[in-house]
Amino acid sequence: MKNLKFPAILIFLMTAFAFQCEDITPNEVTDCIDPSKIKKDAACYMIYAPVCGCDNKTYGNDCIAINAGVKSFTQGACK
């Protein structure tokens, strides 16, 4: 029975996250992300304080969202 525990958990997690994405029209993403503000090599603090970006993506904290070029976000994970 122990041999089936890990694969069962893995399958459950893969299924749980398979339906997390929502449909977003291209204009929503373009209006939401400012490509000139994207900083891939910027350093951020590693405190988990999730924010929901206008692109309906959850970012680990506001610093990560800002450096991803997100124009606006709200406190808390996306639903």
Side-chain angles (χ1 to χ4, degrees), residues 7-25:
I9 291 171
L10 184 60
I11 291 170
F12 171 75
L13 290 174
M14 289 173 54
T15 306
F17 291 107
F19 302 102
Q20 294 294 318
C21 298
E22 291 187 23
D23 293 335
I24 300 174
T25 61

Side-chain angles (χ1 to χ4, degrees), residues 10-78:
L10 184 60
I11 291 170
F12 171 75
L13 290 174
M14 289 173 54
T15 306
F17 291 107
F19 302 102
Q20 294 294 318
C21 298
E22 291 187 23
D23 293 335
I24 300 174
T25 61
N27 286 342
E28 288 180 53
V29 174
T30 312
D31 294 339
C32 177
I33 305 293
D34 184 350
S36 68
K37 304 235 180 199
I38 296 173
K39 298 175 187 166
K40 293 183 179 184
D41 58 347
C44 284
Y45 51 90
M46 298 308 295
I47 297 172
Y48 185 68
V51 296
C52 182
C54 50
D55 58 349
N56 206 32
K57 179 179 175 186
T58 299
Y59 295 89
N61 60 46
D62 57 348
C63 179
I64 296 170
I66 290 167
N67 288 319
V70 178
K71 291 182 180 179
S72 66
F73 50 85
T74 58
Q75 296 296 320
C78 299

